[in-house]
Amino acid sequence: SAVISQKPSRDICQRGTSLTIQCQVDSQVTMMFWYRQQPGQSLTLIATANQGSEATYESGFVIDKFPISRPNLTFSTLTVSNMSPEDSSIYLCSVEGMPRGANYGYTFGSGTRLTVV
Amino acid sequence: GIQVEQSPPDLILQEGANSTLRCNFSDSVNNLQWFHQNPWGQLINLFYIPSGTKQNGRLSATTVATERYSLLYISSSQTTDSGVYFCAVVGDQGGKLIFGQGTELSVKP
Protein backbone atom coordinates (compact mmCIF):
# COMPACT_ATOMS: atom_id res chain seq x y z
CA SER A 1 0.00 0.00 0.00
CA ALA A 2 0.99 3.63 -0.41
CA VAL A 3 2.87 5.34 2.40
CA ILE A 4 1.63 8.80 3.30
CA SER A 5 3.55 11.35 5.36
CA GLN A 6 1.31 14.03 6.86
CA LYS A 7 2.40 17.02 8.88
CA PRO A 8 2.06 18.66 11.26
CA SER A 9 0.76 15.90 13.51
CA ARG A 10 -0.88 18.41 15.82
CA ASP A 11 -1.12 22.14 16.32
CA ILE A 12 -2.78 24.67 18.57
CA CYS A 13 -3.73 27.83 16.69
CA GLN A 14 -5.24 31.20 17.48
CA ARG A 15 -8.64 32.00 16.05
CA GLY A 16 -8.50 34.07 12.88
CA THR A 17 -5.23 32.52 11.69
CA SER A 18 -4.65 29.86 9.01
CA LEU A 19 -2.90 26.49 9.07
CA THR A 20 -1.55 24.56 6.10
CA ILE A 21 -1.39 20.77 6.32
CA GLN A 22 0.89 18.84 4.00
CA CYS A 23 0.64 15.30 2.64
CA GLN A 24 3.41 13.54 0.75
CA VAL A 25 2.83 10.16 -0.91
CA ASP A 26 5.63 7.74 -1.80
CA SER A 27 4.18 6.98 -5.24
CA GLN A 28 2.30 8.88 -7.92
CA VAL A 29 -1.46 8.93 -7.47
CA THR A 30 -4.17 10.53 -9.56
CA MET A 31 -6.44 11.65 -6.74
CA MET A 32 -5.84 12.63 -3.15
CA PHE A 33 -8.64 13.07 -0.64
CA TRP A 34 -8.99 15.33 2.39
CA TYR A 35 -11.22 14.42 5.34
CA ARG A 36 -12.33 16.14 8.52
CA GLN A 37 -13.22 14.34 11.73
CA GLN A 38 -14.90 16.53 14.30
CA PRO A 39 -14.65 15.47 17.97
CA GLY A 40 -16.57 12.27 18.63
CA GLN A 41 -17.75 12.06 15.02
CA SER A 42 -17.03 9.98 11.95
CA LEU A 43 -14.99 11.09 8.96
CA THR A 44 -16.43 13.47 6.38
CA LEU A 45 -14.90 14.07 2.96
CA ILE A 46 -13.93 17.71 2.40
CA ALA A 47 -12.65 17.56 -1.16
CA THR A 48 -10.90 15.54 -3.83
CA ALA A 49 -7.63 16.95 -5.15
CA ASN A 50 -6.61 16.22 -8.75
CA GLN A 51 -3.27 17.25 -10.15
CA GLY A 52 -3.58 20.02 -12.72
CA SER A 53 -7.15 21.01 -11.94
CA GLU A 54 -9.15 22.62 -9.18
CA ALA A 55 -10.21 20.47 -6.27
CA THR A 56 -13.76 19.17 -6.14
CA TYR A 57 -15.49 20.14 -2.89
CA GLU A 58 -18.27 18.28 -1.10
CA SER A 59 -21.48 19.94 -0.05
CA GLY A 60 -20.88 22.22 2.92
CA PHE A 61 -17.21 22.89 2.16
CA VAL A 62 -15.93 25.87 0.14
CA ILE A 63 -12.64 26.76 -1.46
CA ASP A 64 -12.29 30.05 0.41
CA LYS A 65 -12.33 28.21 3.74
CA PHE A 66 -10.36 25.12 2.69
CA PRO A 67 -8.07 25.99 -0.23
CA ILE A 68 -6.22 22.97 -1.61
CA SER A 69 -3.09 22.76 -3.72
CA ARG A 70 -1.96 19.78 -5.81
CA PRO A 71 1.26 20.80 -7.55
CA ASN A 72 2.29 17.26 -8.57
CA LEU A 73 1.22 13.62 -8.37
CA THR A 74 2.81 12.96 -4.95
CA PHE A 75 1.97 16.04 -2.89
CA SER A 76 -1.01 18.07 -1.69
CA THR A 77 -1.78 20.71 0.90
CA LEU A 78 -4.98 21.68 2.69
CA THR A 79 -5.26 25.10 4.32
CA VAL A 80 -7.79 25.78 7.06
CA SER A 81 -8.40 29.52 6.76
CA ASN A 82 -9.60 32.13 9.22
CA MET A 83 -9.98 29.50 11.90
CA SER A 84 -12.57 29.43 14.65
CA PRO A 85 -12.93 26.96 17.55
CA GLU A 86 -15.47 25.03 15.43
CA ASP A 87 -12.60 24.06 13.13
CA SER A 88 -11.00 22.04 15.91
CA SER A 89 -10.86 18.57 14.37
CA ILE A 90 -8.60 15.86 13.06
CA TYR A 91 -7.79 16.40 9.39
CA LEU A 92 -6.64 13.41 7.34
CA CYS A 93 -5.46 12.91 3.79
CA SER A 94 -6.02 9.70 1.88
CA VAL A 95 -5.19 7.96 -1.37
CA GLU A 96 -6.54 4.87 -3.05
CA GLY A 97 -3.82 2.27 -3.17
CA MET A 98 -3.25 -0.11 -6.04
CA PRO A 99 0.05 -1.88 -5.39
CA ARG A 100 1.09 -4.30 -8.06
CA GLY A 101 -2.39 -4.54 -9.53
CA ALA A 102 -4.05 -5.68 -6.29
CA ASN A 103 -6.63 -3.29 -4.89
CA TYR A 104 -5.81 -2.42 -1.33
CA GLY A 105 -8.52 0.15 -0.81
CA TYR A 106 -7.83 3.52 0.74
CA THR A 107 -4.82 4.41 2.88
CA PHE A 108 -4.77 7.35 5.29
CA GLY A 109 -2.12 9.69 6.58
CA SER A 110 -1.48 9.83 10.30
CA GLY A 111 -3.74 12.86 10.71
CA THR A 112 -3.38 16.42 11.98
CA ARG A 113 -5.06 17.14 15.31
CA LEU A 114 -5.98 20.83 15.22
CA THR A 115 -7.12 22.81 18.25
CA VAL A 116 -8.26 26.40 17.75
CA VAL A 117 -8.28 28.63 20.82
CA GLY B 1 -26.62 7.86 -1.31
CA ILE B 2 -25.43 4.69 0.32
CA GLN B 3 -26.00 4.40 4.08
CA VAL B 4 -23.62 2.63 6.47
CA GLU B 5 -24.74 1.58 9.93
CA GLN B 6 -22.48 0.09 12.56
CA SER B 7 -23.40 -1.72 15.76
CA PRO B 8 -22.97 -1.61 18.62
CA PRO B 9 -21.99 2.06 19.02
CA ASP B 10 -20.04 1.28 22.19
CA LEU B 11 -18.54 -1.89 23.63
CA ILE B 12 -16.67 -2.58 26.85
CA LEU B 13 -14.76 -5.85 27.19
CA GLN B 14 -12.53 -7.54 29.70
CA GLU B 15 -9.12 -8.44 28.36
CA GLY B 16 -9.24 -11.88 26.75
CA ALA B 17 -12.87 -11.69 25.68
CA ASN B 18 -14.08 -12.06 22.10
CA SER B 19 -16.34 -9.65 20.22
CA THR B 20 -18.19 -9.18 16.95
CA LEU B 21 -18.75 -5.80 15.31
CA ARG B 22 -21.33 -5.41 12.56
CA CYS B 23 -21.60 -3.15 9.53
CA ASN B 24 -24.78 -2.95 7.45
CA PHE B 25 -24.89 -1.09 4.15
CA SER B 26 -27.87 -0.07 2.08
CA ASP B 27 -26.68 -0.81 -1.46
CA SER B 28 -24.24 -2.92 -3.46
CA VAL B 29 -20.59 -2.05 -2.88
CA ASN B 30 -17.32 -2.61 -4.72
CA ASN B 31 -15.13 -1.62 -1.79
CA LEU B 32 -15.52 -2.28 1.92
CA GLN B 33 -12.84 -1.61 4.48
CA TRP B 34 -12.49 -1.93 8.24
CA PHE B 35 -10.30 0.61 10.02
CA HIS B 36 -9.06 0.96 13.59
CA GLN B 37 -8.54 4.49 14.90
CA ASN B 38 -6.21 4.47 17.85
CA PRO B 39 -6.36 6.98 20.71
CA TRP B 40 -3.85 9.19 18.89
CA GLY B 41 -6.20 9.55 15.93
CA GLN B 42 -4.29 7.38 13.48
CA LEU B 43 -6.52 5.41 11.12
CA ILE B 44 -5.16 1.94 10.44
CA ASN B 45 -6.46 -0.16 7.56
CA LEU B 46 -7.41 -3.58 8.98
CA PHE B 47 -9.10 -5.25 6.03
CA TYR B 48 -10.05 -4.56 2.44
CA ILE B 49 -12.95 -6.98 2.11
CA PRO B 50 -15.74 -6.25 -0.41
CA SER B 51 -16.66 -9.93 -0.18
CA GLY B 52 -15.51 -13.16 1.44
CA THR B 53 -13.50 -13.83 4.57
CA LYS B 54 -10.03 -12.77 5.64
CA GLN B 55 -7.98 -13.34 8.76
CA ASN B 56 -5.03 -11.49 10.23
CA GLY B 57 -3.87 -12.82 13.58
CA ARG B 58 -6.58 -12.32 16.20
CA LEU B 59 -8.75 -10.37 13.78
CA SER B 60 -10.93 -11.71 11.03
CA ALA B 61 -13.64 -10.24 8.83
CA THR B 62 -16.45 -11.60 6.72
CA THR B 63 -18.52 -9.70 4.16
CA VAL B 64 -21.73 -11.20 2.78
CA ALA B 65 -22.25 -8.85 -0.14
CA THR B 66 -25.59 -10.35 -1.22
CA GLU B 67 -27.03 -9.64 2.25
CA ARG B 68 -25.26 -6.28 2.59
CA TYR B 69 -23.39 -6.75 5.83
CA SER B 70 -19.91 -7.28 7.13
CA LEU B 71 -18.65 -8.58 10.46
CA LEU B 72 -15.36 -7.93 12.23
CA TYR B 73 -14.30 -10.51 14.81
CA ILE B 74 -11.81 -9.74 17.54
CA SER B 75 -10.62 -12.71 19.54
CA SER B 76 -8.68 -12.73 22.83
CA SER B 77 -8.95 -8.95 23.03
CA GLN B 78 -6.08 -6.88 24.40
CA THR B 79 -6.00 -3.37 25.85
CA THR B 80 -4.22 -2.21 22.70
CA ASP B 81 -7.36 -3.13 20.72
CA SER B 82 -9.12 -0.16 22.31
CA GLY B 83 -10.20 2.64 20.03
CA VAL B 84 -12.83 3.24 17.39
CA TYR B 85 -13.53 0.75 14.61
CA PHE B 86 -14.91 2.16 11.37
CA CYS B 87 -16.49 0.42 8.44
CA ALA B 88 -16.33 2.33 5.15
CA VAL B 89 -17.69 1.52 1.69
CA VAL B 90 -17.70 2.68 -1.90
CA GLY B 91 -20.92 1.98 -3.79
CA ASP B 92 -21.09 -0.13 -6.94
CA GLN B 93 -21.42 3.02 -9.06
CA GLY B 94 -18.17 4.39 -7.71
CA GLY B 95 -17.86 7.66 -5.84
CA LYS B 96 -16.49 8.52 -2.48
CA LEU B 97 -15.63 6.39 0.53
CA ILE B 98 -18.56 6.54 2.97
CA PHE B 99 -17.91 5.92 6.67
CA GLY B 100 -20.17 4.47 9.30
CA GLN B 101 -20.41 6.14 12.69
CA GLY B 102 -18.00 3.69 14.26
CA THR B 103 -17.93 1.33 17.24
CA GLU B 104 -15.97 2.59 20.23
CA LEU B 105 -14.26 -0.36 21.91
CA SER B 106 -12.74 -0.22 25.36
CA VAL B 107 -10.80 -3.25 26.60
CA LYS B 108 -10.21 -3.28 30.35
CA PRO B 109 -7.25 -5.09 31.95
Side-chain angles (χ1 to χ4, degrees):
Chain A
S1 64
V3 174
I4 306 174
S5 299
Q6 182 175 343
K7 58 182 181 181
S9 59
R10 57 176 58 230
D11 208 341
I12 301 173
C13 299
Q14 295 292 322
R15 67 176 68 202
T17 63
S18 299
L19 176 72
T20 296
I21 302 166
Q22 299 180 5
C23 265
Q24 177 77 50
V25 189
D26 68 346
S27 57
Q28 294 184 340
V29 292
T30 304
M31 292 187 289
M32 294 180 71
F33 306 89
W34 288 98
Y35 287 80
R36 180 178 73 181
Q37 185 182 24
Q38 295 177 299
Q41 303 296 313
S42 186
L43 281 78
T44 301
L45 181 65
I46 298 171
T48 302
N50 294 301
Q51 194 269 336
S53 64
E54 276 198 7
T56 302
Y57 289 82
E58 298 296 309
S59 175
F61 297 97
V62 295
I63 187 171
D64 289 347
K65 177 66 176 177
F66 298 102
I68 287 172
S69 78
R70 185 79 201 278
N72 57 53
L73 290 173
T74 63
F75 186 78
S76 179
T77 67
L78 170 76
T79 298
V80 186
S81 302
N82 189 25
M83 289 184 285
S84 67
E86 291 71 35
D87 294 319
S88 297
S89 297
I90 299 174
Y91 293 86
L92 301 103
C93 62
S94 174
V95 302
E96 188 174 11
M98 299 281 286
R100 294 183 289 278
N103 199 335
Y104 189 81
Y106 290 76
T107 301
F108 283 78
S110 55
T112 298
R113 188 181 294 270
L114 170 62
T115 302
V116 183
V117 297
Chain B
I2 194 166
Q3 305 295 315
V4 182
E5 294 184 359
Q6 291 185 242
S7 60
D10 304 283
L11 186 59
I12 300 175
L13 298 175
Q14 281 300 126
E15 200 168 24
N18 303 327
S19 64
T20 300
L21 282 57
R22 187 176 180 102
C23 172
N24 293 333
F25 43 96
S26 61
D27 209 341
S28 301
V29 299
N30 63 21
N31 178 0
L32 187 146
Q33 290 179 251
W34 283 97
F35 295 93
H36 175 218
Q37 187 169 41
N38 63 26
W40 296 271
Q42 293 180 315
L43 202 64
I44 309 301
N45 186 7
L46 298 176
F47 293 104
Y48 167 78
I49 187 165
S51 64
T53 297
K54 291 184 178 179
Q55 180 156 7
N56 184 1
R58 296 181 297 102
L59 303 182
S60 64
T62 294
T63 297
V64 183
T66 54
E67 297 187 22
R68 299 180 182 170
Y69 73 89
S70 182
L71 302 174
L72 177 68
Y73 305 95
I74 304 174
S75 64
S76 303
S77 58
Q78 300 176 357
T79 56
T80 52
D81 295 331
S82 297
V84 183
Y85 289 80
F86 287 104
C87 169
V89 305
V90 177
D92 242 359
Q93 304 305 311
K96 59 186 179 181
L97 189 65
I98 305 295
F99 280 79
Q101 289 302 305
T103 292
E104 184 164 8
L105 174 65
S106 179
V107 181
K108 304 297 185 184

